[in-house]
Amino acid sequence: MSVPEGRRLIVGIDKGTTVTKAAVFDETGNELARAARFIEVLSPRRGWHEEDPAVSLRSTMDAVAEAVAALPGRASDIAAVSVSGHMTGAWLLDETGRPVRNAIAWPDARTLDTLTAFEASPPYEEYLDISATSALPGMTMLLLGHLARHEPDVIARTRYFACAKDYVQSFLTGRVVTDPTDVSLMPGDIATGRISPRLMELVGAEAFLSRAPEVRPSGEIIGTVTREASLATGIPEGTPVANGLGDAVSAMLGTGVVMPGQAVSVLGTSWLNQMVNRYLDDDLRGVGWVYPSPDGEHWIRCLAHTAGAGTFDWAVRTFCRDLAGGAASDFAAVEAEALASEEAGHGLTFLPYLSPAGVQAPFKDGNVRGVMLGLEHGTTRGDILRAVYEGQVYAAMDCYRRQGDDLSLLRLTGGGARSRVWRQTFSNALQVPVELVTTSESAALGVAILASVNVGIWKDLETAVSEMVRTVGRVEPDPRLAEPHQEAFDRFLRAQAAARELFAGFGRAGNQGKD
């Protein structure tokens, strides 16, 4: 589809779990306007996470309308719109696209006991053969199985089950469509990118099979903005709508990571380590999540390790009480002390596994806990801080080293990406360039990039990324530190193996997995 001259804006919508956002970008990725609204979380029972779909949709459309209105006279320049949304969960819609009950979002834990029993049963191996992805309580198929058992009346009233972005798209176009990235985490058949009847049978969700949405390629133009949607948003009626992406994939695309060997680490509460691979490695079967790339040519594996912000915050609270106020100057002082210690040369080994959940990637072990080895009388606070920084990087390095392709480029996002120590340590330990991206709305930008290709602004994703993603603060590796970091990482792995053996007898609840 060609784009008329002057229609060079793209609206990217990011339907989040707690905040929904909309941004307007020009064809070179400049963010021209942005707006956001909070999503009200409903918890009718402990561990449940629901939302009223109609209320969330109004909030999302209000955010879009505000962003579009911030550019007076430019609505006619909008070439396309696309949607990113939090993945999995269950949005049940009737024939007209209206919800038949509250939506259930991915953090929901109502199926936890069912999932625990399922993971210990023989059918779970077949589930992994089909999906190649680790199960979560809030996954669509598990939720559908739960509803079939506990709310069977909703089956007759449901015409489609869908995910968050699909519901938003259905309002924009009048058509209920999903894409292979969302299907991958429902999950579906990873080999075909389609809904799997056998997998639905395994989890007791087969009654919903005839309610599956149509699966179309990511980025395909699935319709145009309806009159009703135009009135709600200010986007002209007839504007093309490109089939969107699950948020993990759209955020990755928004950082410009599209080619095998490229990766992005999101340094937040947990650290999400995502890498584009040419093929899937069976050694990681059942660990983390697997998605198809936006163009369907490659695979993305996401390995989330729990040693994130909470581990660093613990170190600051415990060892730096005089610097734990949270001010920027305090953070700078913590960094300065760490930098005063020799990189990969302080003699300490830190396993950053402080989460009560233990380790979830690149292996599953609910028993293992954090360890600091090598302490002596001469150890300084700076040495301990440096070991914490490096231990967290080595935990991410452990995730990347087990994937199929050699890492060639790493981009960082999230709050931890502001850290000079982490940026340089990642680069030196992995011996790859490390870059930051300028946008704070990577998921919205990701679907805008995808839409720009499918309406003919750019010829392919690689070109679109080169034109629309901007990086700052590139850090090059110091080759002199390659060997010291490799030696330190080898000690990390030996300590990890010893800790797993030590903590195995402690009797904590959790999954004991294979490396």
Side-chain angles (χ1 to χ4, degrees):
M1 177 181 294
S2 62
V3 180
E5 194 65 26
R7 291 175 62 87
R8 294 288 185 170
L9 304 183
I10 307 109
V11 177
I13 302 170
D14 178 20
K15 167 58 181 73
T17 309
T18 57
V19 179
T20 187
K21 294 173 277 189
V24 182
F25 302 93
D26 69 16
E27 63 190 72
T28 61
N30 292 310
E31 183 185 298
L32 306 180
R34 177 186 6 166
R37 296 289 188 277
F38 287 106
I39 297 296
E40 181 182 2
V41 175
L42 306 176
S43 300
R45 294 188 187 179
R46 184 177 180 181
W48 289 23
H49 187 121
E50 298 186 351
E51 61 182 74
D52 183 326
V55 172
S56 297
L57 180 65
R58 284 196 297 272
S59 297
T60 301
M61 295 303 106
D62 287 347
V64 175
E66 181 181 332
V68 172
L71 301 170
R74 297 297 307 278
S76 61
D77 292 335
I78 297 173
V81 57
S82 191
V83 186
S84 163
H86 49 103
M87 301 173 76
T88 203
W91 272 248
L92 304 186
L93 311 177
D94 66 15
E95 185 70 46
T96 66
R98 291 184 172 84
V100 303
R101 73 175 311 284
N102 282 343
I104 307 174
W106 67 270
D108 193 276
R110 74 188 68 193
T111 72
L112 182 58
D113 290 343
T114 301
L115 173 57
T116 301
F118 180 56
E119 288 181 320
S121 70
Y124 188 63
E125 292 302 312
E126 187 177 357
Y127 162 92
L128 292 177
D129 289 339
I130 297 169
S131 69
T133 203
S134 179
L136 293 170
M139 280 183 162
T140 305
M141 297 310 175
L142 288 170
L143 291 170
L144 295 179
H146 176 91
L147 292 172
R149 291 187 295 274
H150 298 282
E151 297 182 35
D153 60 299
V154 304
I155 299 173
R157 294 186 285 124
T158 299
R159 175 59 187 89
Y160 304 102
F161 62 83
C163 294
K165 74 137 183 3
D166 308 328
Y167 176 53
V168 176
Q169 290 182 164
S170 72
F171 176 76
L172 292 172
T173 65
R175 184 182 178 193
V176 181
V177 174
T178 192
D179 87 299
T181 66
D182 258 335
V183 170
S184 69
L185 206 59
M186 285 183 177
D189 186 329
I190 193 65
T192 66
R194 301 289 174 179
I195 304 295
S196 168
R198 176 56 181 160
L199 191 148
M200 293 186 73
E201 182 182 347
L202 289 174
V203 299
E206 63 270 22
F208 283 94
L209 179 58
S210 62
R211 276 75 174 167
E214 183 180 5
V215 183
R216 301 302 305 168
S218 306
E220 179 179 279
I221 302 304
I222 56 171
T224 59
V225 172
T226 65
R227 178 171 176 76
E228 181 183 9
S230 176
L231 292 173
T233 63
I235 299 173
E237 183 179 0
T239 300
V241 177
N243 199 13
L245 298 165
D247 61 352
V249 182
S250 59
M252 191 172 185
L253 179 57
T255 66
V257 171
V258 292
M259 300 302 292
Q262 296 180 344
V264 58
S265 284
V266 183
L267 309 187
T269 304
S270 293
W271 281 15
L272 302 180
N273 306 294
Q274 300 185 108
M275 182 172 170
V276 183
N277 291 274
R278 291 181 177 85
Y279 60 92
L280 295 180
D281 192 335
D282 286 342
D283 289 346
L284 290 170
R285 184 172 180 272
V287 178
W289 308 291
V290 177
Y291 326 115
S293 61
D295 59 7
E297 296 294 323
H298 308 296
W299 302 105
I300 298 167
R301 188 180 290 277
C302 176
L303 298 178
H305 69 77
T306 53
T311 297
F312 180 75
D313 291 345
W314 164 83
V316 174
R317 287 195 313 271
T318 303
F319 301 109
C320 307
R321 293 185 180 181
D322 55 320
L323 301 175
S329 58
D330 297 329
F331 181 71
V334 170
E335 294 249 293
E337 286 209 36
L339 288 167
S341 177
E342 183 181 357
E343 183 173 349
H346 43 72
L348 300 180
T349 299
F350 177 60
L351 302 183
Y353 308 134
L354 272 60
S355 169
V359 180
Q360 297 300 308
F363 57 88
K364 288 189 175 184
D365 190 332
N367 294 319
V368 72
R369 290 297 184 269
V371 173
M372 180 78 77
L373 297 175
L375 293 165
E376 58 186 21
H377 291 306
T379 299
T380 67
R381 183 167 74 171
D383 293 335
I384 292 172
L385 291 172
R386 172 69 87 170
V388 170
Y389 278 104
E390 291 177 0
Q392 291 187 260
V393 168
Y394 294 154
M397 186 173 175
D398 195 18
C399 292
Y400 286 126
R401 78 176 181 96
R402 301 187 192 222
Q403 300 200 40
D405 282 81
D406 291 334
L407 186 65
S408 60
L409 173 70
L410 178 65
R411 286 182 173 162
L412 301 179
T413 66
R418 296 191 297 269
S419 166
R420 173 188 170 190
V421 178
W422 267 324
R423 294 196 300 270
Q424 191 65 66
T425 304
F426 264 110
S427 183
N428 290 337
L430 294 165
Q431 286 293 295
V432 298
V434 169
E435 296 177 337
L436 306 184
V437 293
T438 58
T439 184
S440 61
E441 302 299 338
S442 56
L445 178 58
V447 287
I449 290 170
L450 187 66
S452 75
V453 174
N454 285 275
V455 294
I457 294 176
W458 303 114
K459 67 177 182 178
D460 53 36
L461 279 181
E462 193 171 0
T463 303
V465 162
S466 68
E467 297 290 344
M468 297 182 71
V469 177
R470 291 173 179 77
T471 61
V472 292
R474 182 180 173 99
V475 177
E476 297 288 348
D478 184 344
R480 296 171 299 178
L481 289 171
E483 185 175 348
H485 270 298
Q486 186 58 53
E487 292 174 354
F489 181 60
D490 289 342
R491 289 196 300 272
F492 176 92
L493 294 178
R494 292 197 299 272
Q496 179 191 89
R500 293 187 69 184
E501 182 177 355
L502 173 67
F503 286 109
F506 278 34
R508 292 189 177 96
N511 293 312
Q512 187 73 28
K514 298 180 179 179
D515 281 40

